[in-house]
Amino acid sequence: ILLSKKTMAYAKSLPLLSRALRRYGSVQSLTNGQSLSNVTTRWPATTPSTCRVHSLWLANGFQKSSISTTAPRSVVGWIQDKMANRAKAKKEAKLIDQIALMANSPTWTLKMFAAEIDETLSSWTTKIPGAGRTKEIQAAKASQTVVNAMVEHLGAKVSAGDLSKLDRKQKLKLVIACEKPMDELNSVINSFRQMEIMHRILRFRKENGIALPTDEEGLKMAMQQDGMKVMTKEEKQEMREAYSKRATAGKG
């Protein structure tokens, strides 16, 4: 079916209209504030032979050339999302590597604990401007200072059991060496002991053919299921006392 001359004229004008829309950014600038519906109703009525061309253009040509009134997504926001996704994937991969390392290591020493802290601080996320000011990074830097002093004064092969035997005089020497308060030293020691218990849990699972966890939720589950199996009597007693203190503080 041959198209009418008017329809052909409309078709030829489409590129011009498309360019005008892109140039001025909206239909309103082309219609002096009139709505699109007012403009289209003034066009000559189409015949049955041309109505399909008209409707196809409205459905395809105009929609493709018109500019959305929705604000475009910020490029900065897009970059931040991409970086956040990369950071999440990197964190998940790092956790899996750490679980494998702990499960395959016969012992967990102070030097290995220090290496984990160093790895955290040298990761690419700490190189982003402003990231070094986050609480997590600042806490890791403080822990690094304490652990480095412990490695220097106590040795790289010191275990969590060795640290639990430190008396107050030995701790005071470490406090002076790292220039940190006693509370911070005790916090680092407790973190190392907790990590060493997790090491024992992962070793227990590997030696008994139990599946290793692959995420943080899995680690929590492993602690609940196998923690009591690998902890010493002293550690169990300490855990009960700590739980009792938290319960009492909660009631108060």
Side-chain angles (χ1 to χ4, degrees):
I1 300 175
L2 297 177
L3 301 178
S4 67
K5 292 183 178 181
K6 290 183 178 180
T7 303
M8 294 295 293
Y10 295 152
K12 290 180 180 180
S13 68
L14 293 184
L16 296 176
L17 181 58
S18 178
R19 286 197 296 271
L21 287 169
R22 288 194 297 269
R23 180 179 179 184
Y24 293 102
S26 70
V27 176
Q28 296 294 324
S29 63
L30 297 179
T31 60
N32 295 323
Q34 299 181 45
S35 66
L36 177 62
S37 60
N38 293 335
V39 176
T40 56
T41 54
R42 296 202 306 269
W43 290 349
T46 55
T47 63
S49 63
T50 61
C51 64
R52 177 168 175 76
V53 175
H54 186 195
S55 62
L56 285 174
W57 177 73
L58 286 175
N60 300 319
F62 179 76
Q63 289 181 4
K64 290 181 180 179
S65 60
S66 63
I67 297 177
S68 173
T69 57
T70 303
R73 176 172 172 77
S74 168
V75 174
V76 175
W78 177 81
I79 293 175
Q80 289 176 337
D81 286 349
K82 293 286 286 184
M83 292 173 67
N85 291 335
R86 287 182 59 189
K88 181 180 179 181
K90 195 176 184 70
K91 181 180 178 181
E92 291 172 351
K94 177 67 177 66
L95 180 60
I96 293 176
D97 290 343
Q98 185 181 37
I99 290 172
L101 173 64
M102 297 179 78
N104 290 299
S105 300
T107 59
W108 192 254
T109 64
L110 189 60
K111 182 63 176 179
M112 298 173 79
F113 181 50
E116 287 297 318
I117 297 176
D118 292 342
E119 175 66 21
T120 299
L121 291 173
S122 64
S123 64
W124 69 274
T125 53
T126 63
K127 299 175 184 177
I128 300 174
R133 293 190 292 272
T134 62
K135 292 181 179 180
E136 292 79 5
I137 298 301
Q138 290 299 316
K141 287 181 178 179
S143 296
Q144 184 185 48
T145 301
V146 175
V147 172
N148 287 342
M150 293 168 68
V151 171
E152 181 178 354
H153 288 78
L154 302 176
K157 296 182 179 181
V158 169
S159 67
D162 297 328
L163 293 182
S164 64
K165 299 175 183 178
L166 293 178
D167 56 30
R168 182 169 179 79
K169 184 177 180 180
Q170 290 173 309
K171 287 185 176 182
L172 283 174
K173 289 182 180 180
L174 290 174
V175 166
I176 295 172
C178 65
E179 299 180 348
K180 297 292 181 182
M182 181 66 74
D183 288 346
E184 197 155 331
L185 173 63
N186 288 331
S187 177
V188 172
I189 292 176
N190 288 335
S191 295
F192 177 49
R193 294 181 65 188
Q194 291 171 6
M195 201 168 189
E196 199 271 336
I197 291 174
M198 180 56 68
H199 164 259
R200 276 181 265 161
I201 292 173
L202 295 175
R203 288 289 295 175
F204 172 82
R205 288 201 156 207
K206 180 178 175 61
E207 292 171 355
N208 289 275
I210 305 173
L212 296 176
T214 57
D215 53 25
E216 292 183 5
E217 289 300 319
L219 285 173
K220 293 178 182 178
M221 185 64 70
M223 175 67 81
Q224 294 173 1
Q225 293 177 346
D226 303 320
M228 299 299 287
K229 299 175 184 177
V230 300
M231 294 172 67
T232 64
K233 292 181 179 179
E234 292 78 11
E235 289 170 339
K236 292 177 183 178
Q237 181 62 32
E238 288 181 13
M239 186 180 68
R240 294 189 189 97
E241 292 175 356
Y243 178 79
S244 178
K245 289 180 180 179
R246 287 196 298 269
T248 302
K251 293 179 181 179

